[in-house]
Amino acid sequence: MFKTTKTALLGGAIAVASSGMAMADGHADVSACLITKTDTNPFFVKMREGATAAAEELGITLNSYAGQVDGDHETQVAAIETCIANGAAGILITASDTSSIVSAVEQAREAGLLVIALDTPLEPIDSADATFATDNFEAGRLIGAWAAAQLGDEAANARIAMLDLAVSQPSVGVLRDQGFMTGFGIDIADPNRWGDEDDDRIVGHAVTAGNEEGGRRAMEELLAIDPMINVVYTINEPAAAGAYEALRAIGREEDVLIVSVDGGCPGVQNIADGVIGATAQQYPLLMASLGVEAIAQFAADGTVPEPSEGLDFFNTGVALVTGEPVDGIESISVEEGLELCWG
């Protein structure tokens, strides 16, 4: 299913690129902006690679900006203001604060720029002209369902640590968290936020800032509450690596199931190495390259990209990667994951 979806997406990208190339030949001064949460997280590095390659192919100028750390909202606002002042045709943004950024995004749209949210939907989602993203809820649901299937009857007695992104609860973190709970069979309360569920299996939530050190600290915090945690959900693979180190420090790395989202090459390798049990793989290079092509098309004729059928965003695909497949949950192997990682 995934390969078919990706082929279709790439086919659409080729069509957009062709018309965008014609535009670029006549308007060499067209520029686009990419604004990511940081410039160090491998996910955003790959996103920048995709955007840069597409911009070079189309003959347009790409200016890249990033926050100092995940959650650096003010730097992203300043970047939007710079893009407006420089006359960019459009902005691609992975917002650190998905609601507070809306006023700056509105200013950009009023100035005539196309604004596309990448990976992380704004709140509300229609604050941007379009969103190119993984189905983050589905990504979480896949790893939750896989973890529950691995435990079998013991899922009813699980002790679960939830390693989330940030206290501001950006949409990407909420969707993955709530998707995991749904897949695991936990009733969620308000689907638009985490932490209000009422299930004794949840030991607690701790935030990681999406990095390894944050993942280690968050895991230590929750282990102090319950040292018998046996399932760990993590917002991304750097956080998962940190959680593993905390578990290894107390000799529990072999008997705790860790699941995550991203599917980067290091993360998939961590499945092979026994650090992570399964991950949901997304495709940031594709997200960013399609985003640049959409800005090129917009600059050419004003076309605004349409969402995928039945969704309010353009779905760039997701696949469960694991070395231990379970019946009833579609997945790809570690070898396939390594071939596809972040393409």
Side-chain angles (χ1 to χ4, degrees):
M1 179 201 292
F2 161 73
K3 291 180 179 177
T4 301
T5 300
K6 191 170 184 184
T7 300
L9 285 170
L10 290 174
I14 291 169
V16 173
S18 298
S19 53
M21 184 69 78
M23 173 281 301
D25 290 341
H27 301 277
D29 59 345
V30 171
S31 68
C33 291
L34 173 67
I35 305 172
T36 54
K37 297 177 185 179
T38 71
D39 58 6
T40 54
N41 186 311
F43 183 85
F44 302 124
V45 171
K46 184 60 67 173
M47 192 174 275
R48 189 168 64 246
E49 288 176 10
T52 299
E56 289 177 353
E57 181 179 354
L58 293 168
I60 66 178
T61 300
L62 178 71
N63 295 304
S64 297
Y65 307 87
Q68 297 299 310
V69 295
D70 202 319
D72 183 0
H73 167 70
E74 294 303 325
T75 296
Q76 291 196 320
V77 170
I80 290 174
E81 292 170 350
T82 299
C83 296
I84 296 171
N86 289 344
I91 295 171
L92 307 174
I93 183 167
T94 58
S96 287
D97 189 320
T98 48
S99 57
S100 296
I101 201 70
V102 167
S103 60
V105 167
E106 288 175 348
Q107 292 176 24
R109 295 178 69 186
E110 288 170 2
L113 283 72
L114 179 75
V115 180
I116 298 175
L118 297 183
D119 179 56
T120 305
L122 303 188
E123 299 177 78
I125 193 169
D126 60 3
S127 300
D129 291 292
T131 300
F132 287 5
T134 305
D135 186 335
N136 282 295
F137 186 90
E138 175 64 7
R141 190 198 67 78
L142 285 169
I143 58 174
W146 180 87
Q150 284 292 311
L151 292 179
D153 292 342
E154 282 304 304
N157 303 313
R159 305 299 296 152
I160 305 171
M162 301 294 295
L163 271 57
D164 289 296
L165 181 59
V167 293
S168 62
Q169 300 204 22
S171 56
V172 63
V174 172
L175 289 165
R176 292 179 186 183
D177 175 300
Q178 302 290 273
F180 169 85
M181 291 193 184
T182 299
F184 200 87
I186 293 169
D187 290 332
I188 57 176
D190 181 352
N192 298 309
R193 62 181 298 100
W194 49 256
D196 61 349
E197 66 285 338
D198 182 16
D199 192 302
D200 291 340
R201 290 176 290 179
I202 303 297
V203 172
H205 297 256
V207 298
T208 66
N211 60 52
E212 187 167 340
E213 178 60 22
R216 183 186 63 77
R217 286 196 306 266
M219 190 72 249
E220 290 171 346
E221 177 184 331
L222 295 179
L223 284 168
I225 297 172
D226 186 346
M228 298 313 295
I229 287 167
N230 63 349
V231 177
V232 181
Y233 154 86
T234 61
I235 179 66
N236 64 9
E237 291 150 4
Y244 179 83
E245 289 304 315
L247 290 163
R248 187 166 69 171
I250 61 170
R252 294 211 53 222
E253 73 275 16
E254 297 295 332
D255 62 342
V256 177
L257 195 60
I258 301 176
V259 294
S260 197
V261 178
D262 267 355
C265 298
V268 177
Q269 184 59 49
N270 273 347
I271 295 176
D273 296 339
V275 173
I276 301 172
T279 193
Q281 187 171 67
Q282 50 183 346
Y283 303 97
L285 188 147
L286 181 63
M287 278 180 213
S289 60
L290 290 176
V292 169
E293 290 161 4
I295 290 174
Q297 184 69 64
F298 176 76
D301 60 15
T303 298
V304 176
E306 295 289 334
S308 299
E309 185 176 356
L311 299 173
D312 54 3
F313 63 95
F314 189 95
N315 187 359
T316 54
V318 64
L320 181 71
V321 183
T322 184
E324 301 178 59
V326 297
D327 291 341
I329 305 174
E330 186 174 356
S331 64
I332 62 175
S333 68
V334 173
E335 292 74 21
E336 290 174 295
L338 287 171
E339 289 179 5
L340 293 169
C341 52
W342 284 358

